[in-house]
């Protein structure tokens, strides 16, 4: 109790500051968590059984998996899947943001049109939309530019060769995605404090400037995580293109197993590639989210790489010192 | 104005309703150039709404409101009023700075980024020129060392000083302050009031909605007490605060002083 007391009461019943001194560090026996050990044991046994099945079941034909994993036709399928995902997501994001801004517009016709678009494209299965776009040439015979219901210049009457399988798939996936992205973007825009718009208006910024420079960058923080999920989801949804015969990853695997009847190993090949690509996207999503968190937190938490470097830096001097 | 100069702000019978609720019920007042004009009154008295009418964040329902001799939000030709286009409204707002109770800094931009944004985007000035001026402004509000900080890294008082610098960067002829110190911890109020006092000394025309009676008495040239959408009492700050004539002013002041 030798430490200096800040004006302390004499401890005669009232509240106040009392002298404490230097307490000894606490040494207690920790609580035993038996349940955790039991749960861990059960999971480990199940995992061992699963691994055993994976490696001993002959039908998995791991040698076939290895043989086709980097086959040229599979790799082409991977490239096509990536192309589809990028194009469809790009269409979805651009059109989605436009639809979101339209839905928040003051003009009821404009917001109504956006509402109907979203209602229609979210309300029908994407598979149906894909097949519809593929069948488009049977209902649209020519495309022309001119006065509505008046004179027009014919652009093409060969819609069949204009709407290729690739175009049909891009339209189907992209236009459908736009409906979902519109709702995500709208939620993001609405999440931005109204005071931000007021401050920008008070500075004389126009509505478009305010949206582009002030509202959307802040809405991004809310928009990015679900958009990452949508991209991962799109990567897998693009496999629906196999239905109309566009050669993406799943269809290129199907072409092989239709010929060789090695269905299971080729599905494993496709799954390995899907898992690989979604893993890359997950890492990308983490860094993009960080980029848009600027200003939202006082200090960004370190990335896994930075953490690793920190740990190494802490270890290194002690190693150098010979401990 | 009796001496022939144009009033910076002139309100004649200004009314504002939100649906059935009438928030302003006929405001008449004049703000002379270079004056510090203080608005006080209980919450819900319409003082913030009136302030927001001045830069057309709210549309006036009736009456005439003009800034520097020009109608706010409308153009008069003959005896007809034409609503201004968005672009014209934006142009007029550039000349009026506004400081908000909750600062409303742009959180995704640094302090200097906040200050630079409008001069670059709205006035189209060159980045280098604006940056130099912005750093000078931040220095003037005592935050030269914080220019690269994001708003969340600043205290409330610092944020409000950045907000003042941001408004000044547009080189306005009139500054509106909407309870600039109400959201601040008591010990941070002083630093913001100091900046405002300097601004007043330099001759800026300021309209200040405030509860800081000390500031109003010391810096203010005119003071208006508002209640329930009307001006109850007006005069020099010293007169109104120390010798209120109206009963409602007396009861309000007895609660805040």
């Amino acid at each position: 109790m030798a430490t200096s007391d800040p004006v302390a009461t004499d401890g005669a019943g009232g509240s106040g500051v009392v002298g404490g001194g230097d307490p000894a560090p606490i040494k207690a026996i920790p609580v035993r968590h038996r349940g955790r050990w039991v749960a861990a044991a059960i999971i480990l046994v199940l995992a061992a059984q699963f691994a055993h099945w994976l490696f001993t079941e002959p039908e998995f034909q791991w040698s076939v998996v290895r043989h086709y994993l980097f086959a040229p036709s599979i790799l082409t399928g991977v490239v096509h899947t990536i192309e589809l995902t990028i194009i469809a997501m790009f269409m979805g994001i651009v059109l989605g943001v436009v639809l979101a801004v339209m839905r928040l517009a003051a003009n009821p016709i404009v917001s109504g049109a956006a509402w109907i678009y979203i209602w229609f494209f979210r309300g029908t299965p994407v598979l149906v939309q894909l097949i519809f776009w593929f069948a488009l040439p049977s209902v649209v015979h020519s495309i022309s530019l001119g006065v509505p219901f008046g004179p027009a210049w014919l652009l093409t009457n060969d819609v069949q060769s204009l709407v290729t399988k690739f175009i049909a798939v891009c339209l189907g996936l992209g236009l459908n995605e736009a409906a979902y992205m519109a709702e995500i973007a709208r939620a993001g825009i609405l999440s931005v404090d109204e005071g931000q718009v007021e401050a920008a208006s008070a500075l004389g910024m126009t509505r478009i400037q305010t949206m582009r420079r002030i509202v959307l960058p802040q809405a991004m923080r809310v928009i990015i995580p679900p958009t990452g999920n949508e991209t991962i989801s799109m990567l897998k949804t693009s496999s629906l293109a196999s239905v109309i015969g566009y050669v993406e990853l799943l269809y290129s695997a199907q072409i092989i197993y239709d010929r060789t009847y090695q269905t299971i190993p080729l599905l494993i090949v496709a799954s390995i590639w899907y898992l690989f690509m979604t893993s890359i996207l997950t890492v990308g999503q983490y860094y993009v989210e960080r980029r848009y968190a600027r200003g939202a937190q006082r200090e960004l938490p370190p990335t896994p790489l930075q953490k690793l470097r920190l740990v190494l830096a802490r270890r290194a001097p002690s190693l150098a010192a010979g401990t | 104005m009796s001496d022939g100069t144009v009033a910076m702000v002139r309100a004649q019978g200004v009314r504002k309703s939100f649906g059935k609720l009438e928030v302003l019920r006929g405001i008449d007042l004049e703000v002379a150039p270079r004056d510090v004009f203080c608005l006080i009154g209980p919450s819900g008295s319409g003082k913030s709404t009136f302030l927001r009418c001045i830069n057309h964040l709210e549309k006036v329902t009736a009456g005439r409101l003009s800034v520097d001799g020009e109608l706010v939000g409308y153009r008069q030709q003959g005896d007809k009023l034409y609503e201004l286009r968005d672009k014209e409204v934006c142009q007029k707002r550039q000349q009026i700075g506004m400081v908000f109770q909750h600062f409303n800094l742009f959180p995704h931009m640094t302090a200097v980024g906040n200050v630079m944004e409008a001069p670059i985007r709205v006035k189209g000035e060159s980045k280098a020129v604006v940056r130099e001026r912005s750093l000078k402004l931040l220095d003037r509000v005592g935050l030269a060392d914080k220019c690269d900080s994001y708003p969340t890294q600043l205290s409330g008082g610092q944020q409000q000083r950045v907000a003042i610098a941001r408004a000044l960067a547009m080189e306005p002829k009139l500054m509106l302050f909407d309870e600039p110190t109400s959201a601040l911890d008591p010990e941070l109020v002083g630093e913001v009031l100091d900046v405002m006092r300097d601004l007043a000394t330099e001759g800026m025309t300021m309209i200040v909605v405030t509860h800081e009676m000390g500031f109003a008495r010391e810096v203010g040239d005119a003071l208006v007490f508002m209640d329930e959408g009307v001006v109850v009492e007006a005069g020099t700050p010293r007169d109104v605060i120390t010798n209120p004539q109206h009963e409602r002013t007396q009861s309000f002041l007895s609660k805040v002083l």
Side-chain angles (χ1 to χ4, degrees):
Chain A
M1 306 282 159
T3 48
S4 64
D5 281 0
V7 192
T9 58
D10 53 6
S15 320
V17 181
V18 292
D22 274 329
I26 292 173
K27 269 186 194 168
I29 292 143
V31 176
R32 306 267 179 238
H33 298 284
R34 281 204 194 84
R36 290 185 195 172
W37 287 105
V38 173
I42 292 172
I43 289 167
L44 283 177
V45 169
L46 286 176
Q49 273 187 307
F50 182 73
H52 181 256
W53 173 63
L54 269 187
F55 288 108
T56 56
E57 171 59 51
E59 272 307 301
F60 284 129
Q61 301 178 65
W62 288 102
S63 60
V64 178
V65 171
R66 219 170 301 131
H67 180 254
Y68 282 112
L69 192 55
F70 295 103
S73 66
I74 293 286
L75 292 182
T76 311
V78 169
V79 170
H80 285 177
T81 290
I82 293 173
E83 280 173 4
L84 271 187
T85 307
I86 291 172
I87 293 172
M89 279 314 292
F90 181 77
M91 279 176 68
I93 290 169
V94 172
L95 193 55
V97 170
V98 171
L99 282 167
V101 173
M102 280 173 71
R103 268 210 73 181
L104 297 169
N107 185 337
I109 301 283
V110 171
S111 66
W115 186 88
I116 286 176
Y117 180 98
I118 295 165
W119 168 76
F120 183 81
F121 281 89
R122 282 205 310 181
T124 53
V126 63
L127 184 53
V128 172
Q129 290 170 30
L130 271 180
I131 298 171
F132 174 81
W133 287 111
F134 184 53
L136 190 71
S138 62
V139 286
V140 176
H141 307 291
S142 66
I143 297 173
S144 50
L145 188 69
V147 184
F149 305 109
W153 293 271
L154 190 70
L155 292 184
T156 178
N157 51 13
D158 186 12
V159 179
Q160 186 81 55
S161 60
L162 183 74
V163 184
T164 59
K165 279 179 188 171
F166 178 70
I167 301 282
V169 174
C170 287
L171 283 173
L173 294 176
L175 296 183
N176 179 71
E177 184 58 34
Y180 288 90
M181 282 308 304
E183 290 298 275
I184 291 171
R186 190 171 68 103
I189 290 170
L190 289 177
S191 75
V192 177
D193 179 38
E194 226 175 301
Q196 294 289 309
V197 177
E198 269 180 15
S201 310
L203 286 166
M205 294 174 81
T206 63
R207 270 185 233 191
I208 294 172
Q209 282 173 333
T210 306
M211 184 54 80
R212 213 174 62 76
R213 295 286 306 167
I214 309 300
V215 176
L216 282 181
Q218 292 183 62
M220 278 307 192
R221 212 160 43 82
V222 174
I223 293 174
I224 292 281
T227 304
N229 292 344
E230 288 293 312
T231 310
I232 288 170
S233 169
M234 174 62 74
L235 193 81
K236 295 170 294 165
T237 308
S238 68
S239 63
L240 287 179
S242 62
V243 172
I244 60 170
Y246 179 72
V247 190
E248 41 67 67
L249 176 53
L250 179 62
Y251 196 62
S252 55
Q254 281 173 343
I255 290 172
I256 298 171
Y257 71 65
D258 281 346
R259 182 161 42 82
T260 65
Y261 298 105
Q262 293 161 320
T263 311
I264 302 258
L266 276 147
L267 287 182
I268 292 176
V269 167
S271 301
I272 289 174
W273 277 110
Y274 280 119
L275 272 174
F276 175 72
M277 289 189 282
T278 49
S279 308
I280 300 241
L281 282 178
T282 309
V283 174
Q285 187 182 5
Y286 174 83
Y287 282 95
V288 175
E289 274 176 32
R290 248 181 87 82
R291 167 79 172 66
Y292 281 99
R294 271 184 327 176
Q297 287 152 309
R298 275 161 198 251
E299 193 122 352
L300 290 173
T303 65
L305 248 160
Q306 288 171 334
K307 268 188 218 163
L308 188 70
R309 243 182 256 138
L310 262 175
V311 171
L312 289 179
R314 234 177 268 148
R315 287 273 168 81
S318 61
L319 285 175
T323 42
Chain B
M1 295 271 105
S2 49
D3 57 354
T5 55
V6 181
M8 184 56 87
V9 174
R10 171 174 296 177
Q12 293 164 293
V14 168
R15 288 171 178 272
K16 170 70 190 171
S17 312
F18 293 102
K20 278 187 182 166
L21 181 73
E22 194 166 43
V23 182
L24 298 179
R25 300 186 297 154
I27 302 284
D28 297 286
L29 52 80
E30 267 186 15
V31 179
R34 304 175 73 82
D35 263 8
V36 174
F37 191 94
C38 297
L39 278 169
I40 62 169
S43 61
S45 59
K47 45 195 195 322
S48 286
T49 304
F50 178 68
L51 204 65
R52 294 156 58 82
C53 285
I54 295 173
N55 65 355
H56 208 47
L57 282 179
E58 305 287 359
K59 268 188 196 168
V60 169
T61 328
R64 287 284 193 278
L65 182 60
S66 58
V67 172
D68 210 8
E70 290 179 38
L71 272 183
V72 174
Y74 303 93
R75 183 180 44 234
Q76 189 158 19
Q77 272 170 357
D79 53 356
K80 272 190 184 156
L81 277 186
Y82 295 88
E83 217 174 319
L84 291 184
R85 293 169 183 283
D86 282 351
K87 256 220 172 100
E88 297 168 300
V89 172
C90 288
Q91 217 133 37
K92 294 211 168 170
R93 281 186 183 140
Q94 292 173 31
Q95 303 161 358
I96 305 171
M98 187 161 192
V99 174
F100 299 87
Q101 181 178 0
H102 296 288
F103 332 134
N104 296 358
L105 289 181
F106 306 134
H108 56 303
M109 296 178 187
T110 58
V112 71
N114 266 276
V115 182
M116 289 166 64
E117 180 66 16
I120 291 175
R121 304 284 155 186
V122 178
K123 283 190 168 174
E125 293 180 79
S126 88
K127 214 169 171 179
V129 173
V130 174
R131 190 175 167 84
E132 198 179 328
R133 190 168 80 224
S134 301
L135 291 173
K136 261 187 207 150
L137 279 168
L138 283 175
D139 186 39
R140 190 167 140 196
V141 298
L143 291 171
D145 53 330
K146 297 287 184 189
C147 64
D148 289 324
S149 301
Y150 284 96
T152 44
Q153 297 165 325
L154 301 173
S155 73
Q158 291 170 333
Q159 286 189 54
Q160 194 61 299
R161 285 187 281 155
V162 173
I164 293 172
R166 177 175 71 175
L168 291 176
M170 291 297 282
E171 297 173 324
K173 57 186 177 188
L174 168 67
M175 286 282 284
L176 310 175
F177 291 85
D178 189 3
E179 301 196 28
T181 57
S182 297
L184 297 176
D185 288 340
E187 83 266 27
L188 302 178
V189 168
E191 61 189 59
V192 172
L193 292 182
D194 285 344
V195 170
M196 290 169 63
R197 194 173 291 123
D198 288 347
L199 206 54
T201 317
E202 286 161 33
M204 174 65 77
T205 313
M206 296 159 65
I207 303 181
V208 186
V209 171
T210 188
H211 294 298
E212 296 293 330
M213 296 305 150
F215 175 82
R217 189 158 44 186
E218 184 198 336
V219 183
D221 297 298
L223 184 140
V224 154
F225 172 73
M226 277 176 71
D227 194 19
E228 293 179 347
V230 292
V231 171
V232 175
E233 194 163 344
T236 66
R238 192 168 295 275
D239 285 350
V240 178
I241 293 172
T242 52
N243 188 20
Q245 298 302 308
H246 202 283
E247 180 208 337
R248 273 192 284 174
T249 319
Q250 287 163 3
S251 84
F252 174 76
L253 286 171
S254 71
K255 282 173 202 151
V256 296
L257 283 178

